[in-house]
Amino acid sequence: MGTEIANRGYLALPSGGSGPGVVVLQEWWGLVPHIKTVTDRFAEAGFVAIAPDLYDGETTTSPDEAGRLFMALNIEQTARKLEETLQYLQEHPAVTGDRLGVVGFCMGGQLALLAATLSQRVGAVVDFYGIHPNVQPDFSKLRAPVLGIFGENDGFVTPEAVRSLEAAIQQAGGSIETHTYTGADHAFFNDTRPEVYQPDAAADAWDKTLSFLRRELATA
């Protein structure tokens, strides 16, 4: 189990005492138990993982309230928080290597892309169906490879949107590998939402995420 770090978020350490660093970025619900559980899972897999609290303590289970928080997010302040989190994690004594991973879900997926354009500390990005209309990363500054995870039936991030993302990153000289799961909806990885959770797709996406991060951060 991880611990709450004042003004930082939720930090989880691997049982081995050290490992590569990974930042975990929340969905539009806030830093809810699901994201803390995912952070713990990264620690169990050998990573030093931290989930920053991008809503400063606010969480919700209401889609309407989540939408309000999502649209009210101050992108400039959030960008600073992302950079501060990356610096904090890189300087943490348990973190090995000089490059970090960033993994985000929904809103957090788009912010993971943004984080990688803000800091050269980022060595790998995993974008789970990322979306935010006010977050427009400058992909000319993207140096880290991207793994994109999407659902075929996602009404927010459609297959066309995925192709556009691939094109934008590749045209800017970046690297992206995507996987779109047949029959999966938006947020199919979230096992606290039975109406959209797809266990087989979620398990495969998790395996791909761990393999990608281990490969890209191994030489850091």
Side-chain angles (χ1 to χ4, degrees):
M1 294 292 290
T3 56
E4 302 284 350
I5 305 296
N7 301 317
R8 291 292 179 191
Y10 184 81
L11 177 70
L13 303 177
S15 59
S18 63
V22 173
V23 176
V24 182
L25 298 177
Q26 68 196 45
E27 296 172 294
W28 70 349
W29 312 107
L31 185 51
V32 295
H34 168 65
I35 294 298
K36 294 179 182 179
T37 298
V38 172
T39 306
D40 287 335
R41 289 177 65 188
F42 275 113
E44 292 165 5
F47 295 89
V48 178
I50 187 169
D53 185 354
L54 302 180
Y55 286 168
D56 296 323
E58 289 195 73
T59 64
T60 185
T61 58
S62 161
D64 288 343
E65 179 65 8
R68 185 192 69 78
L69 291 167
F70 173 82
M71 291 308 297
L73 188 72
N74 184 305
I75 306 306
E76 187 175 314
Q77 290 179 2
T78 300
R80 286 197 297 270
K81 186 172 290 188
L82 293 173
E83 292 181 281
E84 290 167 359
T85 300
L86 288 164
Q87 181 176 350
Y88 170 83
L89 190 60
Q90 189 174 53
E91 294 173 353
H92 196 285
V95 172
T96 58
D98 58 4
R99 306 294 293 283
L100 304 170
V102 185
V103 181
F105 302 85
C106 181
M107 177 184 82
Q110 190 75 351
L111 290 172
L113 294 171
L114 176 64
T117 67
L118 297 174
S119 173
Q120 297 305 304
R121 294 181 172 91
V122 179
V125 182
V126 184
D127 168 14
F128 275 78
Y129 34 80
I131 183 170
H132 198 295
N134 299 330
V135 177
Q136 304 294 333
D138 179 357
F139 291 128
S140 70
K141 297 179 180 177
L142 178 67
R143 298 293 177 267
V146 177
L147 173 65
I149 303 292
F150 304 98
E152 178 188 37
N153 296 341
D154 190 333
F156 296 101
V157 188
T158 63
E160 292 76 17
V162 174
R163 288 192 288 271
S164 294
L165 175 66
E166 290 174 324
I169 289 177
Q170 290 166 353
Q171 288 170 8
S175 168
I176 180 170
E177 166 192 348
T178 66
H179 296 273
T180 297
Y181 290 89
T182 302
D185 207 333
H186 189 74
F188 72 83
F189 187 80
N190 190 335
D191 58 6
T192 69
R193 298 186 60 205
E195 72 276 16
V196 292
Y197 178 54
Q198 293 278 353
D200 291 344
D204 187 74
W206 180 249
D207 288 343
K208 283 183 169 58
T209 295
L210 294 182
S211 296
F212 175 76
L213 291 172
R214 286 169 176 153
R215 180 179 74 244
E216 298 300 332
L217 301 180
T219 57

